[in-house]
Amino acid sequence: MQTHEIRRRFLAHFENAGHTPVPSASLILDDPTLLFVNAGMVQFKPYFLGEAPPPYRTATSVQKCVRTGDIENVGRTTRHNTFFQMAGNFSFGDYFKEGAIRHAWALVTGSQDDGGYGFDPERIWVTVYESDDEAERIWHDVIGLPTERIQRRDGRDNYWDMGIPGPGGPCSEIYYDRGPEYGVEGGPVADEDRYLEIWNLVFMQDVRGDESPKYGASPIGELPQKNIDTGLGVERVAFLLQGVDNVYETDLVRPVIDRVQELSGRSYDDGSAEDGVRFRVIADHVRTGAMIIGDGVVPGNEGRGYVLRRLLRRVVRNARLLGITEPVLVDLVGVVRDAMGPSYPEIVTDFPRIAAVAAAEEEAFLATLTTGSRLFESAVAETRAGGSARLSGENAFLLHDTYGFPIDLTLEMAAEAGLEVDEGAFQSLMGQQRARAKADAASRKQGSADHSVYRRLLEEHPPGEFLGYTDLQAAARIVGLLVDGVAVPVAREGDAVEVVLDNTPFYGESGGQQADSGVIRTASGTVRVDDVQLPVPGLRVHRGVVTGGEIAVDTAADAEVDVARRSAIARAHTGTHLIHAGVRNALGSAAAQAGSLNAPGRLRFDFTSPTGAIPPSVLLEVEDEVNEILQEDRPVDWYVTSMDEARRLGAMALFGEKYGDRVRVVDMGEYSRELCGGTHVARTGELGMVKVISEGSVGSGVRRVEALVGLDAFRYLNREHVLVSQLAEQLKAPAEDLPERISGLVDRLRAAEKELETVRAKEVLSSAGALADGADDVAGVALVASRTPDGVGGGDLRTLAADVRGRLGDRPGVVALFAPDGEKLSFVVATTAAARDRGLAAGDLVKAFAPAVGGRGGGKADLAQGGGAPSGGPAGMDAGIGAAIDALRAQVATT
């Protein structure tokens, strides 16, 4: 049975049983606890947690999932995939244990002619939670499963929760006995390769506290509503029904293996065991990579981008180990498209972008692989020469930071060379780098209140209507107040407050659009609204300050949005849609939105661009095209429709966004049609003008365009006009001649600087004789330690040090020169052969004095260099150099 048919039968089985079919969510959801969606229940978490009321009592889905926690097992076991499809059925207070078990049994053992999977009931085993008498009774008394094929297991195997306080419950897992040729007798507790788990039924009935019942803790209560969450592994069912030996040989994955055989000339079925692992790793990872790119991720060095980069680079390296020397990713991603397309048509329609991202990553990796491999081999040789079996964390970090080697690749290569890696030191260096780069805005978004407070407010007052698409002023009622994260009945003048209204015209920050500001007035007080956030789905929290009187819960209010700010943001948001359309028209579908910011009068638009920087001429064409649309003054319409109808109309959806069955479309005719929940102008002419002011990189394969809209664009052009006029007047040239005139000035300036450098170098080098003549005798060593004129470059400093050393002849001699340049300091140390014979090595001497100038350095025995930055201005520089010379003198005297 083909995998697409397995999916279809699952959904049809539960639709026939009254379940609402729900499309798979993106692999990327706005959940800070997850890099990728890893279970079918993730998109339903708000319903299980009580954060939002479910729109249906029962549902079914086939969810795309990615798990990389056990990536080392991929290709080595029969059942591990990084990407897999989890089919599930869900009940929100409807049926419970018996219903879930009956549904599962009917599908698993039902005849294939009647729409089931046709598994032999005599080969089905189940496990239940160790204390779940009810589930065991249902399996035995209702289903008729013999007690010897029902096994009890503890919480580590048969209890589920999310890893945090919240809902949880015991599980019952369904296994299929593959037969004695695959392992020992005794059921799942004896052998989980022979007895393969295909379906997990979770009975959500408990509230867990800080400690999980998985490890013996007791639940702290019961859920008011008992729920069902199940997950069937589609790939595992395919593996069994297709009669193959593992999940990599099913109809959706084996085509990649077959293509790799063609490209490599090696056999998968008759080759070595190690080659077999490589084939399977490639097949698994390239499918996962294609699906992740399809949902909008691009390779990077952090988070999801790092996972994607790691997967793709493992594909490329394993292909090289199989003897494939040509680029391979685009070819293999095309195989994935053909296999997965019937279930995920977006992989077909978006293939040009997916292929472009994959190609760019492979090209980048191949460009660095040779150089990085040479560095790795050098580090291995150095490690072995030093008698160590551990590659340093510094070398691993250098490979990662400079050459883009994922640490996992370094670990693999080190293991192949018989070495370990100092992962602790590597992680420490990575932590330092992250700490330097970290810029966390979570405090502003989350506020000071615990989320449980927001959830209680949402439970007591279901989401009111957002009126802001049509109204900027509305009558409302205050239904909640928070001060310092605590619910209060009254807030008084001066209080920083969070206000919840039963309905509101205020837009909450989301989708790249900044929040509205404005005023909330009651009969007794006024609140200045500075920000609006959505801390839990469906709840708008108005944050601001009580500027007069007092406000109270359950009182009437008038909510008024700052019209000027809203209008400026709306112009920017509409401009973003137009820029998006213009960029796609110019670059093709590979240019997909990767982020945005819509602020008053300005916009920022991030998009994938595997080809790199966008030529200025192309940007100019995009800008002209957008402004032509403004001049046409096209209507900007919006409407709510079904997701299927939106797709039929060609509306663009943003990768990573979660959409329901009903979606809002913002339509500017055939030029731009997107799914969007933001606010917009009524006609394109209201924007006045869009001016692109910059384009640049913000990460691997991602570019950023920044633009101004409306009056801000006109003001920017006015400033530019004034600046150009001033330059034209000073240079006595027409504006159109300025580039050539300025280029000439720059050329002459550079020539003068070079001439000045030559004169300075001659002056500095002419002092070599005087420096050598002034050498001090320190314990029989001729020591030259001196400050040079400010601004001497590193090359001249080394040349001068070597010249002075040569003038010392056969004597033991040490030359140390210090060259300030602003707040920084460069230094060079050179030693004669006679000094080195006495144990005076330049690299060691640098380490002895460098701390005195707040620096470090190193080098060889004959020549070393470094730099520092003494604190305290000019006086600190002089003091630092003096202290360094004293430390050097002491080191020379005692060596």
Side-chain angles (χ1 to χ4, degrees):
M1 186 181 295
Q2 297 295 297
T3 303
H4 301 303
E5 176 64 12
I6 292 169
R7 286 169 42 95
R8 189 200 67 76
R9 288 184 180 226
F10 188 95
L11 294 172
H13 176 78
F14 284 101
E15 282 188 70
N16 291 337
H19 292 61
T20 300
V22 179
S24 172
S26 166
L27 285 167
I28 305 145
L29 292 184
D30 186 15
D31 186 329
T33 67
L34 294 173
L35 279 179
F36 298 102
V37 169
N38 62 359
M41 60 77 59
V42 171
Q43 68 169 313
F44 303 109
K45 271 175 64 175
Y47 311 145
F48 290 128
L49 289 170
E51 294 176 347
Y56 24 66
R57 296 282 288 178
T58 59
T60 184
S61 70
V62 178
Q63 173 64 49
K64 299 180 291 186
C65 299
V66 168
R67 292 180 186 173
T68 58
D70 51 5
I71 192 172
E72 299 308 323
N73 289 323
V74 170
R76 300 186 182 278
T77 71
T78 60
R79 62 184 189 276
H80 282 93
N81 284 131
T82 51
F83 171 87
F84 59 96
Q85 301 169 90
M86 184 175 286
N89 57 289
F90 307 91
S91 168
F92 308 103
D94 195 78
Y95 59 83
F96 197 48
K97 291 183 183 179
E98 183 170 336
I101 290 172
R102 283 181 178 274
H103 281 309
W105 184 257
L107 179 59
V108 168
T109 63
S111 74
Q112 293 190 3
D113 289 341
D114 294 332
Y117 292 145
F119 284 108
D120 182 356
E122 300 301 317
R123 300 178 72 171
I124 299 296
W125 290 63
V126 300
T127 60
V128 298
Y129 184 51
E130 56 190 357
S131 62
D132 195 347
D133 297 333
E134 181 186 3
E136 182 177 23
R137 179 190 61 77
I138 295 169
W139 278 115
H140 180 63
D141 295 346
V142 178
I143 300 302
L145 202 65
T147 54
E148 61 267 22
R149 284 195 273 129
I150 305 172
Q151 297 184 325
R152 295 189 182 232
R153 305 185 82 167
D154 64 19
R156 287 172 295 181
D157 290 298
N158 277 70
Y159 193 95
W160 180 91
D161 60 45
M162 294 191 299
I164 57 175
C171 308
S172 181
E173 296 174 331
I174 302 174
Y175 293 79
Y176 179 77
D177 180 4
R178 301 170 65 203
E181 63 271 30
Y182 293 100
V184 300
E185 299 278 355
V189 298
D191 190 331
E192 289 199 359
D193 278 327
R194 170 176 171 173
Y195 301 90
L196 187 71
E197 179 195 346
I198 58 174
W199 205 339
N200 185 19
L201 315 178
V202 181
F203 311 130
M204 285 198 198
Q205 61 190 42
D206 301 326
V207 178
R208 68 152 273 188
D210 292 331
E211 301 297 326
S212 174
K214 290 175 70 71
Y215 305 103
S218 297
I220 61 173
E222 293 186 356
L223 290 172
Q225 175 175 284
K226 294 181 178 180
N227 306 308
I228 289 294
D229 158 31
T230 84
L232 172 136
V234 172
E235 278 75 10
R236 293 192 180 186
V237 173
F239 160 20
L240 295 172
L241 291 181
Q242 293 174 20
V244 295
D245 288 333
N246 56 62
V247 292
Y248 312 101
E249 297 176 13
T250 62
D251 60 317
L252 297 189
V253 185
R254 177 70 193 219
V256 177
I257 291 177
D258 293 340
R259 182 57 180 151
V260 175
Q261 286 188 114
E262 296 173 9
L263 294 171
S264 67
R266 298 193 190 183
S267 171
Y268 168 72
D269 298 301
D270 301 323
S272 69
E274 196 58 37
D275 275 0
V277 172
R278 290 168 181 153
F279 275 105
R280 292 189 287 272
V281 167
I282 291 171
D284 172 88
H285 286 8
V286 77
R287 182 171 75 148
T288 305
M291 300 303 289
I292 291 174
I293 297 170
D295 277 353
V297 180
V298 293
N301 288 331
E302 295 288 339
R304 299 181 181 106
Y306 172 75
V307 172
L308 175 59
R309 169 161 287 166
R310 177 186 179 190
L311 293 169
L312 295 181
R313 293 191 170 189
R314 289 189 95 205
V315 170
V316 174
R317 186 162 184 273
N318 277 281
R320 294 301 177 274
L321 293 174
L322 287 174
I324 303 173
T325 57
E326 297 300 315
V328 70
L329 280 180
V330 171
D331 191 325
L332 298 183
V333 168
V335 178
V336 173
R337 170 201 60 198
D338 296 341
M340 302 297 292
S343 291
Y344 302 98
E346 64 272 18
I347 296 297
V348 179
T349 56
D350 201 36
F351 181 73
R353 184 186 64 84
I354 296 170
V357 171
E361 179 61 16
E362 183 166 24
E363 181 181 0
F365 184 44
L366 291 177
T368 61
L369 186 58
T370 302
T371 305
S373 295
R374 284 199 296 266
L375 175 64
F376 174 81
E377 290 163 5
S378 175
V380 168
E382 182 182 327
T383 301
R384 287 174 174 159
S388 175
R390 171 174 282 198
L391 196 70
S392 73
E394 289 80 4
N395 277 322
F397 180 76
L398 181 63
L399 282 164
H400 167 83
D401 198 46
T402 304
Y403 297 102
F405 273 40
I407 182 61
D408 312 277
L409 176 57
T410 302
L411 289 169
E412 285 182 15
M413 293 174 68
E416 291 168 3
L419 299 177
E420 297 179 345
V421 176
D422 188 347
E423 289 187 75
F426 170 81
Q427 295 298 344
S428 176
L429 290 167
M430 285 295 295
Q432 293 172 28
Q433 186 186 64
R434 291 190 189 101
R436 290 192 296 268
K438 188 175 182 181
D440 185 12
S443 58
R444 182 177 68 83
K445 288 183 175 292
Q446 301 300 332
S448 57
D450 184 89
H451 276 202
S452 61
V453 178
Y454 296 127
R455 293 190 191 109
R456 283 196 296 272
L457 281 171
L458 192 61
E459 289 169 359
E460 295 167 3
H461 306 282
E465 186 180 358
F466 171 60
L467 307 172
Y469 291 133
T470 55
D471 299 317
L472 297 182
Q473 185 173 359
R477 180 165 292 275
I478 296 176
V479 296
L481 287 175
L482 298 176
V483 174
D484 294 329
V486 178
V488 297
V490 177
R492 295 176 175 82
E493 185 172 351
D495 286 343
V497 67
E498 295 178 279
V499 182
V500 179
L501 303 174
D502 62 347
N503 57 63
T504 180
F506 283 87
Y507 185 87
E509 181 179 351
S510 60
Q513 179 172 327
Q514 289 189 346
D516 285 333
S517 62
V519 178
I520 297 174
R521 296 184 179 88
T522 71
S524 58
T526 302
V527 176
R528 184 190 72 236
V529 177
D530 301 317
D531 188 21
V532 185
Q533 293 292 329
L534 290 79
V536 295
L539 185 72
R540 279 182 171 79
V541 175
H542 307 73
R543 294 177 176 158
V545 176
V546 181
T547 56
E550 65 178 30
I551 60 171
V553 173
D554 199 29
T555 57
D558 181 67
E560 183 177 344
V561 173
D562 181 333
V563 176
R565 175 182 169 84
R566 162 68 80 81
S567 298
I569 293 174
R571 287 192 292 269
H573 201 155
T574 303
T576 298
H577 283 223
L578 293 169
I579 290 283
H580 187 184
V583 167
R584 285 178 69 90
N585 289 343
L587 304 179
S589 62
Q593 183 166 336
S596 66
L597 172 68
N598 304 298
R602 63 186 176 90
L603 66 90
R604 188 178 71 208
F605 175 67
D606 297 345
F607 59 98
T608 54
S609 177
T611 57
I614 311 304
S617 60
V618 173
L619 278 179
L620 184 60
E621 290 173 4
V622 170
E623 183 181 270
D624 284 347
E625 183 175 289
V626 168
N627 281 295
E628 285 178 6
I629 299 296
L630 305 192
Q631 192 173 16
E632 293 173 8
D633 195 26
R634 296 189 179 190
V636 180
D637 299 319
W638 66 268
Y639 45 87
V640 175
T641 186
S642 68
M643 189 65 181
D644 289 342
E645 177 64 10
R647 287 197 183 103
R648 190 190 68 77
L649 292 170
M652 278 193 295
L654 300 188
F655 299 106
E657 290 292 324
K658 181 180 179 181
Y659 298 104
D661 293 333
R662 305 291 291 174
V663 293
R664 183 172 183 265
V665 179
V666 175
D667 195 326
M668 298 175 225
E670 295 304 315
Y671 189 76
S672 172
R673 185 175 289 128
E674 290 190 33
L675 305 189
C676 180
T679 62
H680 293 268
V681 299
R683 303 189 69 87
T684 59
E686 294 179 37
L687 273 64
M689 178 181 194
V690 171
K691 176 61 187 172
V692 174
I693 59 173
S694 69
E695 187 274 345
S697 172
V698 290
S700 177
V702 179
R703 309 295 296 182
R704 170 172 293 171
V705 167
E706 297 192 61
L708 299 174
V709 179
L711 191 57
D712 291 83
F714 284 113
R715 287 170 176 163
Y716 173 83
L717 289 176
N718 281 337
R719 289 194 300 271
E720 293 285 294
H721 175 70
V722 169
L723 177 61
V724 169
S725 297
Q726 290 174 340
L727 286 172
E729 183 178 350
Q730 290 180 7
L731 295 176
K732 308 300 182 185
E736 59 269 22
D737 292 344
L738 286 180
E740 183 179 352
R741 183 67 64 88
I742 293 173
S743 178
L745 286 174
V746 170
D747 289 342
R748 290 200 297 273
L749 178 60
R750 286 174 178 166
E753 287 175 343
K754 285 184 179 180
E755 185 176 348
L756 182 61
E757 286 175 5
T758 301
V759 171
R760 180 183 292 171
K762 290 180 180 178
E763 182 182 351
V764 168
L765 295 176
S766 68
S767 65
L771 288 171
D773 292 341
D776 292 336
D777 186 287
V778 179
V781 176
L783 175 63
V784 176
S786 178
R787 170 177 176 159
T788 69
D790 290 5
V792 175
D796 290 341
L797 197 63
R798 288 190 297 274
T799 301
L800 178 59
D803 192 357
V804 175
R805 177 178 59 185
R807 293 172 186 266
L808 296 178
D810 296 333
R811 289 181 291 169
V814 173
V815 180
L817 302 178
F818 300 83
D821 187 3
E823 297 179 354
K824 296 182 179 180
L825 175 72
S826 298
F827 49 79
V828 171
V829 175
T831 58
T832 64
R836 294 194 291 278
D837 291 342
R838 293 184 55 167
L840 290 167
D844 294 337
L845 294 174
V846 163
K847 294 174 183 176
F849 70 73
V853 289
R856 61 180 184 177
K860 298 180 180 179
D862 63 330
L863 185 69
Q865 61 188 14
S871 59
M877 180 68 74
D878 292 340
I881 293 174
I885 292 174
D886 290 342
L888 172 63
R889 186 182 296 273
Q891 185 70 21
V892 170
T894 56
T895 300

